[in-house]
Amino acid sequence: VPGPGEQMAAEVAEQPAVLARLLDEGSGEAVDVAAALGRRRPRFVLLAARGTSDHAALYAKYLVELRLGLPCGLVSASTFTVYGARPDLREVLLVAVSQSGGSPDLLGTVEAARECGATTLAVTNAPGSPLAQAAELTIDVRAGEEHAVAATKSYTAELLALFLVLDRWAGGDGSAAGVLPEVCADLVARRGEVAELAQRYRFASRLVVTGRGYSYATAREAALKLMETSYLSAHAFSGADLLHGPMAVVDPEHPVLAVVPEGTAAAAMAPVLAAVAGRGADLLVLGSPGIAPAGARLLALPTGLPEELHPVVDIVLLQWLALEVAVGRGLDPDAPRGLSKVTRTW
Amino acid sequence: VPGPGEQMAAEVAEQPAVLARLLDEGSGEAVDVAAALGRRRPRFVLLAARGTSDHAALYAKYLVELRLGLPCGLVSASTFTVYGARPDLREVLLVAVSQSGGSPDLLGTVEAARECGATTLAVTNAPGSPLAQAAELTIDVRAGEEHAVAATKSYTAELLALFLVLDRWAGGDGSAAGVLPEVCADLVARRGEVAELAQRYRFASRLVVTGRGYSYATAREAALKLMETSYLSAHAFSGADLLHGPMAVVDPEHPVLAVVPEGTAAAAMAPVLAAVAGRGADLLVLGSPGIAPAGARLLALPTGLPEELHPVVDIVLLQWLALEVAVGRGLDPDAPRGLSKVTRTW
């Protein structure tokens, strides 16, 4: 009988190998998809996903806006599948991201989008899935079968697959990603450090996670992992949104985690960190020592990595945190209450 | 000296008059803006907003997708203002929604979008504001000066203004909205009923709010009001997203509020309500008696109203709830800790 969280831990630890395999075996597919997109020249991009994959989509949104200079939106699945809308999607690329490729609402969205004239791309861990078959273009993230209910390796593989396609579509050569397996391995090796830190959150009932720009995706995914495994009410806000109202829930009784890797967004997060610290919150900064206000705890993130690649690896420390907080509470993150691996929504 | 929440209560109660004034004085402006949009024929719509206004933008997203059949996205302000992206926005309409028209990041977004070729529309309560001046088109929501930190009347006025413009752009005549002041007045009159219900949440520390389609905006705004006024960790999820992971935080110890007015989305919410009830959660359904599972509490919503107009008025009951929960805790919703009326973010 496996111990609590062993399955999730094994998949967290597998991530350096998963990223290396995708770089090795998937780059050709990424080149082909990027070339097809280059020929199609879509002018707008829509992203469709649920749960963890929705955070991969959010990461892709920033890449599309910043690297490709195209307007981009996250699609409301209900528009197509509940309300039956059939919008004009000529010159639109719709990207569906899904680990299992099995969610009926995503499948319905891809089918409808195709009928409406969109170019469709499925990013999945299941190349034979209905979703992959429904889309015109597909990329297999090659994460291997994922058993843990809390998705980890499929998430980082989705991020890397999206980077490889979008970077090449934008004219890059994907080579910046070559360092990721090694950086990821360094983070995987820091489980003990995170386990010690997790003690602090043993009795937290709610928690705020914040980040901005590319790292907003990391904040969102960290909050979801904490909810799924530890049943914490973990609430993610972009740094700017946090200042608009939700700052009222920040107080000394509840922890705040801020994801602030080196890069352009870090400067924009400085006033957010100052406001959080000024309210006496218990603050943990994932970032570099220079950015953390006095009194904040620090979990160091890798240095020297392009900002746009940080989400692919930074999440590892937060996956460990979610797992260790859950185990510390006597919970089994491999058997979260109320959840199953494939969620079927319409 | 005004009592706790008197300012907010006065503005909640003002809403029927605000809606009537906007219908009366603002419809001409809406017709003109809709005509201008009809001439421009944008093919993609981006929405930019923060805080409460972001939920008005979310409402508009469904109207754009469903009524106009155009792809639509919520813009990440940081893309323009932090990262300095200058995407290709020809044939794009960018709509900025802001009560004060004073937030630097929204202003920066509108200026950048205009430079990048977008048609720009500002929906504000401040027609002389920098934001209104920066946009090519503007609509004044005419809510009157808003003093309470927790926005109420500016929100419902933003929703109605967006409906009036988008309905006409889609070929409607806006007349369906004529009933709103009266329906709103009926809801304003139900403060006592809501105050009684608010007792139940006196000691709740966290809470989930859910809705789908048009009503997802109502769920999001309700959660924000509860956070701002009562410092509850109120977490909104679309019904479909709730089933993907966050369902793990739903248990008998924490309340769930579901916004399920009559309409297409109600059927899609039925399995969500069943799942929530199945986990033994303390469930309050805002909707009609038929939709609430056994054991759930019910707060009746108006009947006979088109689904797309529900968000303009349903929020009133939740504004009262936020106010009454706050006052019941000895807090003053007019002086929420850590917040000021105009939030300046970059």
Side-chain angles (χ1 to χ4, degrees):
Chain A
V1 182
E6 272 186 28
Q7 208 163 49
M8 180 177 172
E11 291 175 356
V12 170
E14 208 183 320
Q15 290 175 108
V18 165
L19 299 179
R21 178 167 60 219
L22 178 54
L23 285 170
D24 189 34
E25 300 175 11
S27 290
E29 199 172 62
V31 168
D32 293 344
V33 169
L37 296 176
R39 286 190 298 272
R40 290 300 185 86
R41 301 170 66 97
R43 294 183 52 207
F44 317 110
V45 180
L46 292 178
L47 296 151
R50 289 280 179 203
T52 289
S53 297
D54 203 27
H55 308 143
L58 183 59
Y59 167 70
K61 181 169 189 283
Y62 285 92
L63 281 176
V64 168
E65 292 176 344
L66 298 177
R67 291 293 308 280
L68 286 150
L70 294 178
C72 185
L74 301 178
V75 92
S76 314
S78 65
T79 297
F80 296 99
T81 59
V82 175
Y83 291 102
R86 291 296 177 266
D88 176 3
L89 299 184
R90 288 167 301 156
E91 297 188 274
V92 170
L93 166 66
L94 181 126
V95 184
V97 189
S98 168
Q99 193 282 125
S100 69
S103 192
D105 56 356
L106 278 186
L107 179 61
T109 297
V110 166
E111 288 170 344
R114 230 177 144 165
E115 280 171 36
C116 295
T119 299
T120 52
L121 166 63
V123 178
T124 82
N125 194 29
S129 63
L131 188 72
Q133 286 166 8
E136 182 188 338
L137 302 168
T138 182
I139 186 155
D140 176 6
V141 309
R142 295 173 165 77
E145 198 171 345
E146 190 171 61
H147 299 280
V149 174
T152 56
K153 63 178 183 170
S154 67
Y155 175 66
T156 49
E158 285 168 359
L159 294 182
L160 178 54
L162 286 160
F163 174 80
L164 291 175
V165 169
L166 296 171
D167 177 66
R168 282 195 171 77
W169 182 18
D173 65 1
S175 63
V179 69
L180 290 173
E182 194 184 321
V183 176
C184 185
D186 290 344
L187 294 171
V188 166
R190 287 167 61 193
R191 179 175 181 177
E193 179 190 348
V194 176
E196 201 159 315
L197 188 71
Q199 305 265 352
R200 187 166 189 86
Y201 304 110
R202 171 65 182 83
F203 295 104
S205 68
R206 65 189 219 197
L207 178 151
V208 163
V209 195
T210 186
R212 203 165 176 197
Y214 286 109
S215 290
Y216 179 39
T218 307
R220 293 274 299 269
E221 172 59 7
L224 180 57
K225 285 303 98 149
L226 285 160
M227 283 191 279
E228 287 178 323
T229 60
S230 306
Y231 318 146
L232 264 162
S233 181
H235 212 150
F237 299 99
S238 92
D241 285 327
L242 182 57
L243 297 177
H244 286 259
M247 189 57 81
V249 305
V250 172
D251 64 25
E253 304 312 310
H254 300 98
V256 175
L257 314 187
V259 185
V260 197
E262 292 175 343
T264 304
M269 281 297 288
V272 179
L273 297 179
V276 167
R279 295 183 55 77
D282 188 273
L283 175 62
L284 170 67
V285 175
L286 286 83
S288 43
I291 195 76
R297 277 171 176 67
L298 182 78
L299 205 49
L301 290 181
T303 54
L305 195 66
E307 184 175 5
E308 63 187 19
L309 288 174
H310 266 279
V312 185
V313 289
D314 293 353
I315 191 64
V316 171
L317 295 177
L318 293 152
Q319 293 167 341
W320 281 141
L321 185 68
L323 188 154
E324 294 292 353
V325 169
V327 171
R329 291 174 177 216
L331 303 171
D332 181 0
D334 291 335
R337 61 185 192 189
L339 301 183
S340 56
K341 184 65 189 161
V342 178
T343 310
R344 298 174 63 83
T345 48
W346 283 265
Chain B
V1 182
E6 273 188 25
Q7 209 163 50
M8 181 178 171
E11 292 175 355
V12 170
E14 208 184 319
Q15 290 175 107
V18 166
L19 298 178
R21 178 168 59 218
L22 178 54
L23 284 169
D24 189 35
E25 301 175 9
S27 290
E29 198 171 62
V31 169
D32 293 344
V33 169
L37 295 177
R39 287 190 297 272
R40 291 300 185 85
R41 303 168 67 95
R43 295 185 49 211
F44 197 85
V45 180
L46 292 178
L47 296 152
R50 291 279 178 203
T52 288
S53 297
D54 203 28
H55 308 142
L58 183 59
Y59 168 69
K61 182 170 188 282
Y62 285 92
L63 281 175
V64 168
E65 291 176 343
L66 297 177
R67 291 293 308 280
L68 287 151
L70 294 179
C72 185
L74 302 177
V75 92
S76 313
S78 66
T79 297
F80 295 99
T81 59
V82 174
Y83 290 104
R86 290 296 176 268
D88 177 2
L89 299 184
R90 288 168 301 155
E91 295 188 276
V92 171
L93 167 65
L94 182 126
V95 184
V97 190
S98 168
Q99 193 281 124
S100 69
S103 193
D105 56 355
L106 278 186
L107 179 60
T109 297
V110 166
E111 289 171 342
R114 227 176 147 167
E115 280 171 37
C116 295
T119 299
T120 52
L121 166 62
V123 178
T124 82
N125 194 29
S129 63
L131 188 72
Q133 287 168 5
E136 183 188 339
L137 303 167
T138 182
I139 186 153
D140 176 7
V141 307
R142 293 171 166 81
E145 198 170 345
E146 190 171 62
H147 298 282
V149 174
T152 56
K153 64 177 183 170
S154 67
Y155 175 66
T156 49
E158 285 168 358
L159 294 182
L160 178 55
L162 286 160
F163 175 79
L164 291 175
V165 169
L166 296 171
D167 177 65
R168 283 196 170 77
W169 181 17
D173 65 2
S175 63
V179 70
L180 290 174
E182 195 184 319
V183 177
C184 184
D186 290 344
L187 294 171
V188 166
R190 288 168 61 194
R191 180 174 180 177
E193 179 190 347
V194 176
E196 202 159 316
L197 187 71
Q199 305 265 351
R200 188 166 186 85
Y201 305 111
R202 171 64 181 84
F203 295 103
S205 68
R206 64 190 220 195
L207 179 151
V208 163
V209 194
T210 186
R212 202 165 177 198
Y214 286 110
S215 290
Y216 179 39
T218 307
R220 292 273 301 268
E221 173 59 6
L224 180 58
K225 285 304 96 146
L226 286 160
M227 282 192 279
E228 286 179 324
T229 59
S230 306
Y231 318 147
L232 265 163
S233 182
H235 212 152
F237 300 98
S238 92
D241 285 328
L242 183 57
L243 297 177
H244 285 260
M247 189 56 81
V249 305
V250 172
D251 64 29
E253 303 312 311
H254 301 99
V256 175
L257 314 186
V259 186
V260 196
E262 292 174 344
T264 305
M269 281 297 288
V272 178
L273 297 178
V276 166
R279 296 184 54 77
D282 188 274
L283 175 62
L284 170 67
V285 175
L286 286 85
S288 44
I291 195 77
R297 276 172 175 67
L298 183 78
L299 206 48
L301 290 181
T303 54
L305 195 66
E307 183 176 4
E308 62 187 19
L309 288 174
H310 266 279
V312 185
V313 288
D314 292 354
I315 191 64
V316 171
L317 295 177
L318 293 153
Q319 293 167 341
W320 281 141
L321 185 67
L323 189 155
E324 294 293 352
V325 170
V327 171
R329 291 175 178 216
L331 303 171
D332 181 0
D334 291 334
R337 62 185 192 189
L339 300 183
S340 55
K341 184 67 189 159
V342 178
T343 309
R344 300 175 62 81
T345 48
W346 283 266

